[in-house]
Amino acid sequence: MIRFALQQGWALVVPDYQGPDSDLFGADGYVHGVLDGIRAARAFAPAAVDPAAPIGMWGYSGGAQATAIAAQAHSTYAPELPLSGVVLGGVVADLEATMAGFSGGIAGGAVVVGLVGLDRSYPDADVAQYLNETGRAMLAASRADCVPNAAFAYPFLDAAALEAWPGSITNNPELSQVVRRASPLFRPGVPGVPVLLHHAVADEFAPIDSARALAGKYCAAGNPVQLVENPIGEHGTEAMLGMPTALTYLADRFAAAPAANTC
């Protein structure tokens, strides 16, 4: 993706939006990581980025989650940045739905990394209180894991097997409030520029219904939104299958072409 974007002649910023402590799902950090990253690139004299150059934001999966969260904060946090368009592929719009999608599946262990991320990003929530002894042990053992590490370590893990009491993870309004703090669908604000969402209908990790709901939220604000649903493939393949659409969409926004609207 980076190579193809560079081949368009674009200056590219790839932020470490999780920060030095790997705050997975730390939504406020996403805002700073993405938008401050763009500010830094524009201010870096050797890069010679034209201050008038249009800006696009593009992310896939968790990267789309961060992109959406940053785009929703753009008008209040970084209004001086000339944002022209946003592309969200396979977006994790509702983190709770995504964690449910992983639970019980071949990559079910990824749920543990999700819980680690919530615990690290929102220590006031005391995520460990919702876990049984097994869950707390996994939480402690997986603090340095990436998603594949935990997925391989705990295949087909069901989140219910980690619960301190029935429903403490899978049906808990208090924990849901924490998860929603990291979910674009439930966070305030909408992008003030055209948005493309491309998504595989059969996405097993970021359910299509959540992406449709996010598109509806953005549509309600009156901005052009294009939702492209791919009947072929799933979460992994859509990253590549949707790339030509993403590149074309951003090129059109940079050229100030009219944006398609499927609202």
Side-chain angles (χ1 to χ4, degrees):
M1 287 181 173
I2 292 172
R3 183 178 74 240
F4 281 110
L6 289 172
Q7 287 174 346
Q8 311 306 307
W10 301 340
L12 204 63
V13 181
V14 185
D16 176 16
Y17 55 81
Q18 293 176 15
D21 296 323
S22 192
D23 285 338
L24 179 65
F25 308 136
D28 292 338
Y30 287 2
V31 173
H32 290 283
V34 174
L35 297 176
D36 288 348
I38 296 171
R39 283 170 164 163
R42 295 174 83 228
F44 184 57
V49 176
D50 187 338
I55 295 170
M57 297 200 300
W58 175 22
Y60 192 84
S61 190
Q65 177 190 12
T67 299
I69 288 172
Q72 289 173 204
H74 165 257
S75 62
T76 55
Y77 181 69
E80 81 284 2
L81 296 179
L83 187 61
S84 296
V86 175
V87 175
L88 307 174
V91 61
V92 177
D94 179 353
L95 181 56
E96 199 164 28
T98 290
M99 292 178 72
F102 275 99
S103 179
I106 190 170
V111 169
V112 179
V113 171
L115 293 170
V116 167
L118 290 172
D119 187 52
R120 180 175 291 139
S121 301
Y122 307 103
D124 57 304
D126 188 16
V127 170
Q129 69 178 303
Y130 304 117
L131 305 179
N132 57 26
E133 185 175 347
T134 298
R136 289 193 296 272
M138 288 184 180
L139 191 74
S142 298
R143 289 198 171 275
D145 284 354
C146 293
V147 167
N149 302 124
F152 288 135
Y154 314 116
F156 301 104
L157 177 68
D158 191 320
L162 309 179
E163 294 183 321
W165 64 86
S168 67
I169 298 174
T170 56
N171 186 26
N172 184 342
E174 288 187 1
L175 186 59
S176 291
Q177 287 182 2
V178 180
V179 176
R180 288 185 174 197
R181 288 160 71 176
S183 300
L185 183 59
F186 301 108
R187 287 181 63 83
V190 296
V193 297
V195 179
L196 165 70
L197 295 94
H198 69 90
H199 214 97
V201 174
D203 193 314
E204 71 278 37
F205 297 137
I208 185 70
D209 286 347
S210 299
R212 290 168 177 164
L214 187 65
K217 173 183 175 177
Y218 292 170
C219 282
N223 289 323
V225 177
Q226 183 179 4
L227 176 60
V228 178
E229 299 185 4
N230 191 347
I232 300 171
E234 39 71 60
H235 189 75
T237 59
E238 180 60 20
M240 298 307 296
L241 294 177
M243 186 168 60
T245 300
L247 290 168
T248 299
Y249 187 85
L250 287 174
D252 286 345
R253 301 291 73 73
F254 295 154
N261 191 354
T262 60
C263 290

